[in-house]
Amino acid sequence: MEQPNIFRRLRRPAALLSVSAVALGASAGWAQEPPPAPPAYSGPRTQIETVITEAQKVESDVQSTPVALTTVSGAELERTFAQDFRDVAGTAPNVLLQPVGAFQNASAFFIRGAGSADIESAADPGIAVLVDGIYMARTSTALVDFLDVSAVEVLRGPQGTLFGRNAIGGAVLLRHNAPDVNEFGVSGSVLAGKRGRLDMKGTVNVPIVEGVAAFRLAVKSTNFDGFYYNTYDNEKIGGQERLTILPSFRFEGENLDVTLRGEYNRTRDDSFPNVPHNVCETDPALGTAGNDLVITTVTALAGPDVARQFCATEVGKDDFTINHDHFNGFGANFDVWGLTGEVNYNVPDMGTFTYLGNYRDVKEDVYNDFDTTPFDIFNTRRQQWHWQTSHEFRFASEFSDFVDLVLGGYYFKQHYMMEQDGYGIFNVGVPNSGRSNVGRSEQWHDQWSIFGQADWHITDSLTLVTGVRYDSERKDFYHCGVGAADPVTRLCPVNVPGITDATFDSKVDIGDGVGFADGTNKWSNISPKVSLNYQFTDDLFAFASWSRGFRSGGFNGRANFSSTAGPFNEEKADNYEVGVKMDLFDRRLRLNVAAFWTEFSDLQRTIIRPAASGSGGQETVTENAADARSRGIELEMTAIPVEGLTLNGSLGYLDADTLSWCADLNGPLVGTPAGKDNCGTAVNLGAAGVLQPFENAGLEVTQAPKWTTRFAISYEIPVGNAGFLTFAGDWQYRSSLALVAAGFPPGTMDGEVQFNGDRVVARRDAAHIFNANITWREVEDRYKVSFFVKNLTNELYVSTTTNVAGLFNFRQPNEPRHWGVEISFDL
């Protein structure tokens, strides 16, 4: 009997309806079941390939998908010797992907000026990172090594409808290769480079039952001495020692597709090297007024001549040689393991049901020397334990000729515990005592959501997309600031005079929790999306959309007063966007253009300010301090003008402004700065003083360069019967940007003038980065030999800075010029 019309188009393969498959851009994309591998090269490319994406969790051509997104295929990552997400940032306009200052494994991701750079696990990331469809709840460990990657995707703008929680600024997605049930394969490579770089990786794919089941194993060992030198002992620092293992299994039946993935990572890196960036308004020999506390302390311990070495200097080439304490045991130790399962079941003539589940466990032990001197003034040890689990159920269907549907539900749960020890003079008042102060935080977090999206085909060319997601968040937090926990039991005390302000339990002390039966704090949100798409021709597509983003509220894990511990509320963003995607000249030129306008309300801003209690007399808090607006244009281009020559380019223009920012940036012991207006409600801290918020509109939006530009060129030529040579290079430009959201000094972007006339600023100068490589491959693409150079001109800029409220300041430089040689095979 003939099927009713409503089911005629329901023939989408199960494997193409995975929760996490997303692809984009000028490089080859990916899907849950990778498309058949193209035949081996017979020569250079002459046309731009079709890219299949699942940015909306159903299969579509990227050129007909109403999302501003960029993809870099796994093959392209290999060709550019990408180590982690940092090597992807330059490929996408208005995107910054980099480490958090002093924590090289933690991600500080910003897209269109939205994002976060806070390592504190109580706060949620501003950019969603998903690995094999699994949302990573914390910025920590996000910058792990790339291994056996199918593609990396960058989705710009709020993505809350289909991609889960906290994708207010965008999403970054990584997908690993799935086992191939049809063919045996083995591949590997050895990369040797400057400063002891030695990376070895290998992958084996074994069909257990041909066409039905397969096992895949990928392993990578990373070893590196570090780019920098410790000036105290002339030893290299900033090194890496990592082992990553990714086993996976796949079963593929007529209507059932099951993939299981394991994850294990062992990291024994050096802690991130720091450069002194301290303020010395007064010559240490003449006085201490206006000087950071580190300078005052070093002057007392070793005299002004030594102290001057730790005043900020102009950024120069010597920043590639680092002043850093050589305290034994400094390092970043991580142990990560996880398990992910994905099940796709296709009901013929109906649709596909998908389940995606995960459990992930992380243990961290990180030592840092933040004072950057040879004295034990301010050293820390952060130990964190974290686990998360998530479960997503989804149904996708081409329901009829008129409408396609994606419906689903999502549940997420995590728990983390953090202990932070502070060592040194600032903590206990005894120089070089080695004693510690202890702080502790712990949080339980539950979240669930339901979501759906429908594509309404009004005509063959005109489609209306409507979507909505409802989120419910619940957090329970327990905390005592550094110096308040019991050094023996390592627990927060109860009703101890003098330190109860730094101790709280959200079930008892947080005011907003009162009224809930279970005493917890809750947030909820509805995130809608509407898009109107028009397919003018096969090669010309346009869309206009409105979407809303949401990031959950939370608590302050480094607060020193119960009144500043939170909770802070959710932030929201409304994004308006238009885009055009086109292929021209018989698919030799591809142009994608997007223009956007985003309005942010209740922005969560991190503030480091002086405090009357706690370690070092400072506290770090997040507040709903600001409203902001960003607008801009993004252009991406790929061209193959002649056989073998490929050109790629991107251009991003971003105009981001802080419309209002009401917060106390200079602590309870200082009044409102001259020229500022009071705003908001003052917070009385008792004997510690009063926090009086003041207006800071006009502060630059952090990590929001006005221009981001990239141009890449590659040219492949045959070498007789010996194979092919590819010559490639790229230029990346990023204009200057603000590194500190609260300004420096707090509330301004003026910087501080030192006794010697140097001005200390919290900005990154404009930078040009050039990379180049050459690769030989044999005709069937089985063997390759490559040589590459990154940062060819040895360009130097400030990668990150940390300004800690008159206590100390430090910065980290970018990576200097470095090179490597790689030999690889794929059989």
Side-chain angles (χ1 to χ4, degrees), residues 77 82-87 104-105 131 141-149 174 176 197-201 219-224 240-246 263-267 269 360:
L77 293 172
Q83 294 289 325
D84 54 39
F85 285 123
R86 282 174 285 191
D87 294 307
Q104 62 181 344
N105 295 80
V131 177
T141 72
L143 285 170
V144 296
D145 279 3
F146 284 164
L147 171 64
D148 199 26
V149 174
L174 181 150
H176 292 101
R197 166 71 70 184
L198 181 61
D199 295 354
M200 295 183 290
K201 59 185 176 183
V219 180
K220 181 178 181 181
S221 169
T222 300
N223 291 275
F224 178 48
Q240 298 174 342
E241 182 183 325
R242 303 177 179 180
L243 175 65
T244 302
I245 303 174
L246 303 176
E263 171 196 14
Y264 173 74
N265 174 265
R266 182 184 187 273
T267 294
D269 289 354
R360 192 169 194 256

Side-chain angles (χ1 to χ4, degrees), residues 441-692:
S441 296
E442 192 167 3
Q443 178 168 275
W444 296 261
H445 178 196
D446 291 87
Q447 183 255 343
W448 63 269
S449 61
I450 53 175
F451 59 89
Q453 182 166 298
D455 290 9
W456 308 90
H457 305 295
I458 299 172
T459 69
D460 288 344
S461 300
L462 182 64
T463 299
L464 174 67
V465 179
T466 58
V468 66
R469 187 181 191 101
Y470 174 80
D471 286 273
S472 177
E473 308 264 353
R474 166 179 164 172
K475 296 180 180 179
D476 184 31
F477 195 60
Y478 173 77
H479 169 75
C480 51
V482 174
D486 185 285
V488 177
T489 67
R490 311 183 80 81
L491 297 175
C492 294
V494 179
N495 297 325
V496 177
I499 58 174
T500 50
D501 274 343
T503 305
F504 64 90
D505 184 328
S506 63
K507 288 186 175 180
V508 179
D509 298 326
I510 301 299
D512 286 1
V514 176
F516 291 118
D518 53 11
T520 60
N521 292 87
K522 299 179 180 179
W523 299 265
S524 61
N525 176 264
I526 297 176
S527 299
K529 176 180 180 178
V530 178
S531 178
L532 192 64
N533 314 328
Y534 196 82
Q535 189 78 51
F536 288 91
T537 68
D538 289 344
D539 297 323
L540 178 60
F541 173 79
F543 68 93
S545 66
W546 165 71
S547 59
R548 175 166 292 168
F550 157 76
R551 177 154 62 134
S552 172
F555 299 101
N556 285 312
R558 284 172 286 174
N560 286 319
F561 306 95
S562 59
S563 52
T564 60
F568 53 87
N569 290 319
E570 68 270 14
E571 67 178 21
K572 300 175 184 177
D574 286 283
N575 184 64
Y576 307 88
E577 190 158 346
V578 294
V580 177
K581 302 183 179 186
M582 64 188 84
D583 287 334
L584 304 170
F585 308 115
D586 193 26
R587 299 179 68 86
R588 287 182 175 268
L589 175 64
R590 174 167 295 169
L591 290 175
N592 293 341
V593 183
F596 62 91
W597 182 298
T598 310
E599 297 178 350
F600 298 92
S601 60
D602 291 326
L603 269 176
Q604 298 170 10
R605 286 295 188 229
T606 300
I607 302 166
I608 304 176
R609 64 188 175 202
S613 66
S615 177
Q618 61 82 31
E619 69 171 353
T620 302
V621 296
T622 297
E623 296 181 356
N624 298 103
D627 294 331
R629 181 222 64 215
S630 69
R631 55 191 176 186
I633 298 175
E634 296 161 348
L635 169 67
E636 295 179 280
M637 176 275 294
T638 299
I640 303 180
V642 297
E643 182 178 345
L645 178 62
T646 302
L647 307 176
N648 284 284
S650 66
L651 174 67
Y653 169 76
L654 177 63
D655 177 21
D657 289 319
T658 300
L659 304 179
S660 66
W661 188 359
C662 182
D664 188 321
L665 305 181
N666 54 23
L669 303 182
V670 182
T672 303
K676 298 286 186 177
D677 295 326
N678 290 342
C679 59
T681 303
V683 178
N684 192 333
L685 302 178
V690 175
L691 288 172
Q692 175 58 62

Side-chain angles (χ1 to χ4, degrees), residues 202-220:
T203 303
V204 59
N205 188 95
V206 181
I208 301 172
V209 179
E210 186 173 349
V212 177
F215 174 77
R216 188 179 185 92
L217 178 65
V219 180
K220 181 178 181 181

Side-chain angles (χ1 to χ4, degrees), residues 44-314:
R45 291 187 177 90
T46 59
Q47 236 181 15
I48 301 170
E49 298 106 334
T50 298
V51 178
I52 301 300
T53 178
E54 293 191 0
Q56 299 188 69
K57 296 190 179 178
V58 292
E59 181 191 23
S60 64
D61 184 340
V62 69
Q63 292 301 102
S64 301
T65 302
V67 178
L69 41 81
T70 300
T71 195
V72 183
S73 68
E76 183 64 21
L77 293 172
E78 294 282 349
R79 284 194 293 269
T80 56
F81 312 96
Q83 294 289 325
D84 54 39
F85 285 123
R86 282 174 285 191
D87 294 307
V88 177
T91 64
N94 292 327
V95 172
L96 297 180
L97 308 177
Q98 56 197 13
V100 174
F103 293 88
Q104 62 181 344
N105 295 80
S107 60
F109 290 177
F110 289 83
I111 299 176
R112 296 176 174 176
S116 59
D118 196 339
I119 61 166
E120 178 53 52
S121 297
D124 293 321
I127 302 299
V129 177
L130 295 97
V131 177
D132 295 322
I134 301 301
Y135 174 76
M136 300 289 104
R138 304 159 66 239
T139 62
S140 180
T141 72
L143 285 170
V144 296
D145 279 3
F146 284 164
L147 171 64
D148 199 26
V149 174
S150 171
V152 172
E153 328 294 332
V154 181
L155 282 64
R156 303 185 294 276
Q159 304 294 326
T161 304
L162 291 176
F163 281 95
R165 49 191 314 277
N166 300 319
I168 189 167
V172 178
L173 310 124
L174 181 150
R175 185 73 174 184
H176 292 101
N177 289 309
D180 185 339
V181 299
N182 295 306
E183 293 188 14
F184 173 85
V186 59
S187 62
S189 68
V190 176
L191 187 156
K194 187 177 181 181
R195 303 287 174 87
R197 166 71 70 184
L198 181 61
D199 295 354
M200 295 183 290
K201 59 185 176 183
T203 303
V204 59
N205 188 95
V206 181
I208 301 172
V209 179
E210 186 173 349
V212 177
F215 174 77
R216 188 179 185 92
L217 178 65
V219 180
K220 181 178 181 181
S221 169
T222 300
N223 291 275
F224 178 48
D225 293 338
F227 288 122
Y228 315 102
Y229 281 96
N230 184 339
T231 56
Y232 303 126
D233 57 13
N234 205 35
E235 293 291 330
K236 296 174 184 176
I237 57 173
Q240 298 174 342
E241 182 183 325
R242 303 177 179 180
L243 175 65
T244 302
I245 303 174
L246 303 176
S248 55
F249 169 82
R250 185 175 186 181
F251 170 84
E252 186 176 327
E254 182 179 358
N255 294 310
L256 179 65
D257 192 334
V258 179
T259 302
L260 298 177
R261 301 178 185 271
E263 171 196 14
Y264 173 74
N265 174 265
R266 182 184 187 273
T267 294
R268 297 297 182 266
D269 289 354
D270 292 344
S271 55
F272 210 79
N274 304 317
V275 177
H277 200 64
N278 297 296
V279 174
C280 301
E281 292 184 358
T282 306
D283 188 330
L286 302 176
T288 59
N291 291 352
D292 284 344
L293 192 52
V294 161
I295 300 300
T296 304
T297 305
V298 174
T299 301
L301 291 174
D305 291 340
V306 175
R308 290 190 196 100
Q309 299 175 26
F310 304 100
C311 298
T313 57
E314 296 292 331

